[in-house]
Amino acid sequence: MDSTSLGLPRRITIPTATDLAGTRFGVITEFLGEACDPGVREVFNDAVAHIHSLGGVCEEVSLPSVEKGIAAYYIIAPAEASSNLARFDGVRYGHRHPGAGDIMEMYLRTRSEGFGAEVKRRIMIGTYVLSAGYYEAYYGQAQRTRTLIIQDFRRAFESFDYLISPTSPTVAFTIGERIEDPLAMYLSDLCTIPVNLAGLPGISLPAGLSRGLPVGLQLIGPHFSEQGMLDAAHALERKLAFQARPPVAEVTR
Amino acid sequence: MSTPSDESAAGAVPNDWEAVIGLEIHVQLHTKTKMFCGCPTSFGEAPNTQVCPICLGHPGTLPVTNERAVEYATRIALALDCRVTAHTIFHRKNYFYPDLPKGYQISQYDLPLGVGGHLNVELENGAIHRVGITRVHMEEDAGKLVHAGGASGRIEGADHSLVDFNRGGTPLVEIVSEPDIRTPDQARSFLTQLKNLLEHLDVSDVNMEEGSLRCDANVSVRRPGEPLGTKTELKNMNSFRFLQRGLEAEIERQMGALESGRAVEQATVHFDPSSGRVSTLRSKEEAHDYRYFPEPDLVPIQLDEAYVAAVRASLPELPAARKERFMAEYGLPAYDAGVLGSNRALGDYFEQVAGAAGDAKLAANWVMGDFSAYLNATGVEVEAAAVGPAALSDLLILLREGTLSSKMAKDVFQDMIETGKPASVVVRERGLGQISDTLALEELVKRLVLANPGPAEEFRGGREKVLGFFVGQVMKETRGQANPQLVNELLRRHLLG
């Protein structure tokens, strides 16, 4: 097992729970703000009512640092990616530009040809935020923000068994809609990224439709709460009884 | 009034200049496996046979820290009197080079394993010079480039390069000294004594030719009392002699530049032992930005007090302590104790010989004399010597009991080296061996005294010189193998008695 893995204290069994009696759910205030579509909020509020009907308790809870999650993530992840992707240098495997005159030309052409636009963007951002003179302002600050996010979650779990939010603030956007605006695209991950920065288990349940498109409900648990989280998700999933009937696209000749 | 003479040797720094030298030493640990994977660390295998997806940096692989390497690094830090960092972490040092499979080296940065130590270096003149140790940190070695198609094997003139990743991922400890060294001689003494220390710690093969001990130097010169000059980095000198000669050449180059009004530029400098000259490799003006950041694939290492105490307790006897003990326990003079105490294998050998032969001073003389001369002449390691400690002590017993004279023992030792036979066998086969058998000699002495009544009478009359005649007769009869002391004693007894 590698150094980033820990042995789980017990096995996960297939969940069978059918009610949520006495379970306390925190509704993360920050994820229901302006960025959240009214249609998404509506489906989410219906799901909260279902939780109540199963005997669960829902209360709002504020985690102020999670709003900085996207900003921190788009420094930390590109920094690591810029380093992780350095191994694609054409020396041992993968694409290599044929016929380069020297090592520098081989590196430059191999990597220019082999990576797509989003990967190059992240490599450049990551290289920048790790550079001498910028490290503290970007990478150091982002890691401190990550610590604040972890602390916010830890505090919330002192009062709640699980936290809930929409999985994404909007329903799916059309293909190509945000391709020119990566920042807007990154915002789709507003609610899920802080969970990953904190290393917490989470699950997304289809909770209903808005404008004919599915809306997800995200359930977040403390570290190593997978079993309980899956039990709660199972009970809620039965109650939501989501019928996935996506609208069939009309085919025109 | 003249200045102290130890600075006047060839290649030393003249009195109106001062050199400031700091050393960076890389030590390959002789763990069974690599720093972050299970590949063997063996040297000299066919290229790219000691590798796996982890040390080749394949996508999706993750490192796991070698616990033994951490223990060895801790030993080094403690032996150099460093403070061991309780919470130490790895960083990534990012740069592109074909011998670096991941595009970064896993190393340490602002939380190295050990900081703030020192090594007390004994100089040629016996003085102790304390050199500070800035840090001791862990990292992984890179692979090795072989430049092909050129005459020199160096990158200049080569038409392509091959990469051997066998060495990639081998555990390294980097030891960085404070700029406390002032002369090439001091640098050499420092490195020699550091090597001895590492040998005692049993953490590395410390073989400069094979690259398990490597040394770079940071060098600058200044007028005494002035602020530090611009430094250059002298790279990869792979022997003690090249370290000294490289430093001498670089110091001379810098003094020459400054004396003729030019500036020393910050650069990496290569010493070419065949020409004895130094050449600038690359300018350091566009300094590397290694984009260090904490290695996210590895967890921090907690070295608590109990762990550090356990490693400290497991440290073997180190050279300084061994020297003291050899003086106290065996009554050796300081010089002998220093020589035998600094070389682990030779010290172990000496102790075995001294114990078995029952005469420490005799053992020390032989181990430092004929035995060391044999090692130096043949390049054989102590452990592989043709004459082991038991065999040498058997020889010394024959010498001590009088069976062999010193001269004879030296001859027998040479035979033992060549034939690998025990001393007793060599002595028997060659008919050597002093006759120390009192009864046998007594018979002979009696016979000679009776056969030469005239000279015997003269001796009794007070002519001491006549004794020489009788000794000569005994030696003639025994072909020179009689124990002279015993012969004298027996002759006196029988002539006078």
Side-chain angles (χ1 to χ4, degrees), chain A residues 1-6, chain B residues 62-63 296-299:
Chain A
M1 203 155 47
D2 69 74
S3 318
T4 62
S5 307
L6 270 171
Chain B
L62 288 167
D297 292 341
L298 289 168
V299 288

Side-chain angles (χ1 to χ4, degrees), chain A residues 1-4 79-80 82-89 91-93 103 107 111 126-128 130-132 135 139, chain B residues 56-59 61-65 92 94 96-98 101-104 165 289 291-294 296-299:
Chain A
M1 203 155 47
D2 69 74
S3 318
T4 62
E80 292 184 8
S82 71
S83 176
N84 291 339
L85 294 169
R87 65 192 66 197
F88 294 98
D89 57 3
V91 173
R92 294 165 312 288
Y93 47 71
I103 184 75
Y107 281 152
R111 291 172 63 82
T127 305
Y128 180 80
L130 290 176
S131 300
Y135 179 94
Y139 192 77
Chain B
L56 287 176
H58 284 209
T61 58
L62 288 167
V64 179
T65 307
R92 288 187 186 178
N94 294 281
F96 285 95
Y97 208 62
K102 297 188 295 296
Y104 55 84
F165 288 107
D289 183 352
R291 290 173 282 123
Y292 277 101
F293 74 105
D297 292 341
L298 289 168
V299 288

Side-chain angles (χ1 to χ4, degrees), chain B residues 264-277:
Chain B
V264 171
E265 278 182 39
Q266 197 171 334
T268 301
V269 177
H270 174 80
F271 172 66
D272 177 9
S274 57
S275 69
R277 295 169 67 90

Side-chain angles (χ1 to χ4, degrees), chain A:
Chain A
M1 203 155 47
D2 69 74
S3 318
T4 62
S5 307
L6 270 171
L8 260 184
R10 58 198 149 99
R11 281 166 179 246
I12 302 287
T13 57
I14 292 171
T16 53
T18 52
D19 72 85
L20 298 170
T23 310
R24 297 176 59 81
F25 293 85
V27 176
I28 301 174
T29 312
E30 284 73 13
F31 293 154
L32 294 167
E34 277 176 34
C36 189
D37 266 5
V40 169
R41 200 174 305 148
E42 206 173 296
V43 172
F44 179 77
N45 288 337
D46 289 348
V48 168
H50 283 304
I51 292 175
H52 281 295
S53 72
L54 287 171
V57 182
C58 293
E59 262 176 58
E60 283 214 7
V61 58
S62 175
L63 280 72
S65 300
V66 296
E67 287 185 302
K68 307 282 196 302
I70 293 263
Y73 175 83
Y74 279 100
I75 289 170
I76 294 168
E80 292 184 8
S82 71
S83 176
N84 291 339
L85 294 169
R87 65 192 66 197
F88 294 98
D89 57 3
V91 173
R92 294 165 312 288
Y93 47 71
H95 174 69
R96 179 195 286 180
H97 175 82
D102 60 29
I103 184 75
M104 188 53 83
E105 189 191 351
M106 193 279 280
Y107 281 152
L108 293 174
R109 293 200 174 221
T110 295
R111 291 172 63 82
S112 298
E113 293 160 4
F115 292 130
E118 180 62 22
V119 173
K120 285 180 187 164
R121 173 159 42 236
R122 292 191 182 202
I123 290 174
M124 284 188 280
I125 292 170
T127 305
Y128 180 80
V129 299
L130 290 176
S131 300
Y134 296 98
Y135 179 94
E136 265 311 305
Y138 290 101
Y139 192 77
Q141 200 65 10
Q143 288 290 18
R144 278 188 283 276
T145 304
R146 183 181 193 170
T147 302
L148 292 177
I149 291 169
I150 292 167
Q151 288 172 352
D152 277 4
F153 275 112
R154 190 174 295 153
R155 211 170 293 123
F157 285 124
E158 286 169 11
S159 313
F160 297 97
D161 299 310
Y162 303 102
L163 300 173
I164 53 171
S165 77
T167 304
S168 183
T170 65
V171 292
F173 46 85
T174 55
I175 292 173
E177 188 185 322
R178 297 185 186 172
I179 202 82
E180 297 303 322
D181 187 358
L183 289 182
M185 191 164 64
Y186 294 165
L187 271 180
S188 314
D189 300 333
L190 174 72
C191 311
T192 46
I193 274 178
V195 183
N196 291 312
L197 284 176
L200 299 170
I203 185 169
S204 179
L205 304 172
L209 298 174
S210 165
R211 289 183 281 149
L213 290 166
V215 171
L217 173 116
Q218 173 175 238
L219 192 59
I220 307 160
H223 290 128
F224 306 116
S225 68
E226 279 85 351
Q227 183 69 63
M229 190 188 71
L230 290 171
D231 282 337
H234 180 258
L236 187 54
E237 185 185 55
R238 279 167 50 101
K239 180 71 182 166
L240 290 167
F242 178 77
Q243 296 296 314
R245 273 197 302 265
V248 178
E250 241 176 74
V251 180
T252 50
R253 283 176 187 271

